Amino acid sequence: MTTDRWFRPVLRVIAALLLAVQAVVPAHAAVTITFWSQEFGQSFPHAFFSFSGTPDAGGPAADGTYGFTAKAITPALLTGSVGGRIDRPKPSYIDRSNAHFSVVLSDAQYAAVRSLIDEWGENGDSHYNLNRRNCVHFVAEAARRSGLTVVEDRKLMKKPRSFTQSLERANAGRVTVIELPAKAYFASFTPPVVAVGSAPSPR
């Protein structure tokens, strides 16, 4: 009995210490990718994605918004391949867009998506083809590298919103559903946040 009376306070102290340690030790960081679309862009509909968070292994914070588009909007788009480029939508463009869903990436998946940006950028194969290599195809490959199930239905490959929502359905239970206009999505954070900073876009 005497031992029991001595042992219980010791256990309480140990438990309190463990809770204190958990409070000061930061949780593992992670990068989240969020998939977006704008159905009524100034030129044509657009699909893109954004990063937030920090890799588990540490290093610079992951941020930025990325899409893929033609270098120039001309009739040549209708006849074959043209020059393409990585698109960095402005916050004002994002504000008119819709966030559909997000998924947490492993460091390897994050690196794979970052590689995609380089592969489709100016130092890689940056040709744009409205039927075979447009912004929806870019997002499809980003989703694939994020570990998601991707079905490239030909009827949806020029429909950013419909395609992105098809990804959401195909990966139910594996993604965090958002389905909010940008302003409502950013307002849901505490404190509220603004659209991820980005370089100019022609839209």
Side-chain angles (χ1 to χ4, degrees):
M1 193 69 158
T2 302
T3 302
D4 188 55
R5 285 199 300 270
W6 173 85
F7 192 58
R8 285 183 179 178
V10 172
L11 285 178
R12 285 196 290 269
V13 170
I14 292 172
L17 287 172
L18 288 173
L19 288 172
V21 169
Q22 290 173 355
V24 299
V25 174
H28 282 297
V31 174
T32 296
I33 186 170
T34 301
F35 289 85
W36 299 75
S37 78
Q38 187 176 132
E39 196 72 358
F40 301 104
Q42 292 177 10
S43 300
F44 41 72
H46 194 39
F48 55 96
F49 58 82
S50 61
F51 293 126
S52 61
T54 305
D56 286 323
D63 62 16
T65 306
Y66 302 88
F68 184 69
T69 190
K71 285 184 177 180
I73 310 303
T74 70
L77 285 170
L78 303 176
T79 60
S81 295
V82 297
R85 65 177 181 81
I86 295 297
D87 184 38
R88 301 293 307 278
K90 292 180 180 179
S92 59
Y93 184 86
I94 299 170
D95 279 346
R96 300 192 302 275
S97 304
N98 291 280
H100 294 291
F101 68 89
S102 64
V103 63
V104 176
L105 304 177
S106 67
D107 283 2
Q109 290 167 337
Y110 173 55
V113 180
R114 293 290 322 186
S115 293
L116 171 67
I117 296 167
D118 294 334
E119 291 164 19
W120 288 47
E122 62 181 9
N123 294 322
D125 181 0
S126 60
H127 82 274
Y128 178 97
N129 187 288
L130 187 60
N131 295 314
R132 297 188 301 275
R133 205 171 192 266
N134 62 30
C135 65
V136 178
H137 295 91
F138 180 70
V139 163
E141 183 59 24
R144 191 176 290 112
R145 296 189 188 198
S146 299
L148 300 179
T149 298
V150 178
V151 177
E152 294 192 12
D153 185 337
R154 291 181 61 186
K155 298 189 297 295
L156 302 181
M157 300 314 288
K158 295 179 187 176
K159 298 179 178 180
R161 181 174 61 190
S162 297
F163 176 77
T164 306
Q165 289 176 330
S166 78
L167 290 176
E168 183 182 300
R169 291 190 296 272
N171 293 278
R174 300 171 61 195
V175 302
T176 299
V177 176
I178 301 170
E179 290 301 341
L180 287 172
K183 291 182 179 179
Y185 173 54
F186 292 131
S188 70
F189 290 87
T190 304
V193 299
V194 296
V196 178
S198 55
S201 164
R203 295 180 176 81

